[in-house]
Amino acid sequence: MNHEENREAIAQGQITLGIELGSTRIKAVLLTNDFKEVAAGSFRWENQYKDGFWTYPLELVWTGIQAAYREVVTQVEANYQVTVQNIKAIGVSAMMHGLLIFDDADHLLTPFRTWRNNTTSDAAIRLSQLFDFNIPERWSIAHLYQAVLNGEDYLGSAAFMTTLAGYVHWQLSGEKILGIGDASGMFPVDDSTGDYRDDMMHQFDSLPLVSQYRWTLRSLLPEVRRAGASGGHLTKKGAELLDPTGHLSAGSLLCPPEGDAGTGMTSTNSVRVRTGNISVGTSAFSMLVLDQPLKRRHRHLDIVATPTGKAVAMVHANNCLSDINAWMGLFSDLATVLGTQLTPDDLYAKLLGKTQDADLDAGGLLNYSYLSGENITDVAAGRPMFARTTNSHFNLANFMQTQLYAAFAPLQIGMASLTTEEHIQADTMIAQGGLFRTPVIGQQILANALNLPITIMENAGEGGPWGMALLALYAADYADQYSLEDYLAHKVFVNAKAETRQPDPAGVKGYAAFIDRYQQGLPLERQAGDLLKEPTH
């Protein structure tokens, strides 16, 4: 569509809004019917560590959403001289898992506990054994059961629990629902029914410590819907929450809210069986849509679902790029002191580019990028740590190589269960995330780390909210004509540009040497969590 066609589409409300609340940014994008972005906005936020839990205040959720939406409409007004008044369809996505729990008067009973908390190991172990199904620590059911085990006093008043995307959707539409992908990170789901596993719900409700409460698990959890279903409509209250200026009208269709895993699969055309994707950000996760059940339960493999309900093997690492970003902040300060001004993209390009001069095993250097605990490596408390021996080859090239190697290390360890133990492979593995705005370097190292071909698509830097907008447009215009798989393949990605990097044998060998060193040093990282206490303020 050309400029005038975009202007007319916006004026007529033939536009779709996707919102995603990620770990460090709340993002919003506006699409026209040709799947192209016409405006985007964002708001930076960070989780806070309070009273022993990682959390975000819900007030900041709305500050961020309104700021991102305001940036979208400001761009539209500047570029098209049109005020956004009507939006055909809206979709909300957010980081998955965690605990948001409310009473029957809709009051939040305890501050939002995010996926990042490593406080539910006892519950996760017990539930995994009970269900014979891997329940990770970050899943909502693990948070709920840990609260039960702890005897937390608010549980007697509990009436509803949801995810962050489910909460925002509820406030915009009045509907207490979830897309099946997001729901699968709260409690196991069944593709054949499109609902939670009823047998497991009964097992949970029958636990002695649970049965004392007036609620059942089904009464607490949101209703589950698949991609393409209606998720209700934007209410007057919801329109005012999005746009306090009052310009936005109520009535927009809302699609079922999804988790960031679901939007990652959607935005990389990875919802079909034997396709996979990797999302690289504050955390890292890989998704592979299964064509067969796993042979056994694996502690490093979660079974979640695509937005249509197909089983997906997921490897989730709590830590990925946060430590690199912290070092980049330090180097940016150094550049400023030396009188040099660099944009973030330029800084990343220059420093990551130095890895072309690095030793393939990173010169004997070692790094742990753990701002929080890491379930995959049994690290309870995160302490970012860099180490070297007296004979290590210590230079900038190897230091930056080590940072990238370490960022991908937990994911690589987790993926080994899928590739070497279950012998499951993907036909395609597509990566996305802001790191890939710097071409080739991160992509090649990831290919070497996993010993898999890695494909980057042209939208790799900003996939999440775009993927959510695609799901909203699917619900509005295409669900009665196409499966989600065919909609993405034959409508959205029919002319998509992509580049694939194959593993380099020497690089694979070098990364394997680093991982051996990394595994040997893990006791140091665990001990650091025990000895180095967080300062009290």
Side-chain angles (χ1 to χ4, degrees), residues 173-223:
S173 69
E175 299 277 349
K176 295 180 177 179
I177 69 165
L178 275 187
I180 193 168
D182 204 10
S184 71
M186 294 194 79
F187 193 81
V189 298
D190 184 346
D191 181 30
S192 65
T193 65
D195 201 355
Y196 303 108
R197 287 278 301 269
D198 193 64
D199 55 334
M200 294 181 183
M201 295 185 92
H202 178 72
Q203 287 177 295
F204 182 82
D205 288 339
S206 299
L207 289 167
L209 289 178
V210 174
S211 60
Q212 65 181 310
Y213 293 103
R214 63 183 178 88
W215 45 260
T216 64
L217 189 55
R218 184 166 290 280
S219 73
L220 290 184
L221 292 175
E223 179 185 334

Side-chain angles (χ1 to χ4, degrees), residues 374-391:
E374 186 57 70
N375 302 329
I376 289 175
T377 51
D378 296 317
V379 172
R383 298 293 184 268
M385 183 169 65
F386 172 76
R388 62 189 175 98
T389 66
T390 53
N391 294 322

Side-chain angles (χ1 to χ4, degrees), residues 6-259:
N6 284 342
R7 185 181 187 281
E8 183 63 19
I10 295 166
Q12 296 299 320
Q14 294 301 305
I15 46 177
T16 304
L17 179 69
I19 298 169
E20 183 160 276
L21 295 92
S23 300
T24 59
R25 281 200 301 165
I26 298 173
K27 295 169 281 188
V29 300
L30 200 66
L31 306 188
T32 45
N33 289 346
D34 60 353
F35 319 113
K36 297 296 191 297
E37 178 185 307
V38 292
S42 67
F43 174 83
R44 288 201 168 274
W45 68 340
E46 287 287 349
N47 52 192
Q48 303 167 13
Y49 192 70
K50 289 190 173 182
D51 301 322
F53 294 98
W54 291 101
T55 187
Y56 298 85
L58 293 191
E59 297 80 7
L60 197 57
V61 168
W62 297 107
T63 298
I65 288 174
Q66 289 169 5
Y69 180 79
R70 184 168 59 249
E71 191 173 342
V72 166
V73 297
T74 299
Q75 285 181 17
V76 167
E77 289 169 355
N79 294 332
Y80 298 100
Q81 295 74 54
V82 178
T83 298
V84 176
Q85 295 181 313
N86 294 286
I87 297 174
K88 176 167 56 179
I90 299 172
V92 178
S93 173
M95 61 189 98
M96 295 172 65
H97 319 299
L99 183 70
L100 276 165
I101 192 162
F102 301 84
D103 64 16
D104 55 12
D106 298 338
H107 297 135
L108 184 66
L109 292 173
T110 189
F112 174 33
R113 297 177 184 178
T114 79
W115 58 269
R116 197 169 200 172
N117 289 287
N118 289 79
T119 56
T120 66
S121 60
D122 190 12
I125 291 168
R126 293 192 193 197
L127 291 177
S128 296
Q129 293 171 344
L130 177 68
F131 299 150
D132 192 23
F133 185 99
N134 185 41
I135 301 295
E137 291 185 30
R138 65 187 182 282
W139 278 29
S140 302
I141 190 61
H143 283 272
L144 176 65
Y145 190 45
Q146 191 66 55
V148 169
L149 295 176
N150 295 345
E152 297 184 28
D153 56 11
Y154 60 82
L155 288 174
S157 301
F160 176 56
M161 61 184 286
T162 190
T163 64
L164 184 55
Y167 163 74
V168 173
H169 182 97
W170 169 34
Q171 298 304 301
L172 295 180
S173 69
E175 299 277 349
K176 295 180 177 179
I177 69 165
L178 275 187
I180 193 168
D182 204 10
S184 71
M186 294 194 79
F187 193 81
V189 298
D190 184 346
D191 181 30
S192 65
T193 65
D195 201 355
Y196 303 108
R197 287 278 301 269
D198 193 64
D199 55 334
M200 294 181 183
M201 295 185 92
H202 178 72
Q203 287 177 295
F204 182 82
D205 288 339
S206 299
L207 289 167
L209 289 178
V210 174
S211 60
Q212 65 181 310
Y213 293 103
R214 63 183 178 88
W215 45 260
T216 64
L217 189 55
R218 184 166 290 280
S219 73
L220 290 184
L221 292 175
E223 179 185 334
V224 181
R225 297 186 189 174
R226 299 182 196 258
S230 169
H233 292 82
L234 184 67
T235 63
K236 186 175 185 295
K237 173 193 169 187
E240 290 170 351
L241 275 172
L242 266 182
D243 183 11
T245 68
H247 289 122
L248 180 62
S249 298
S252 305
L253 173 71
L254 270 80
C255 68
E258 267 299 347

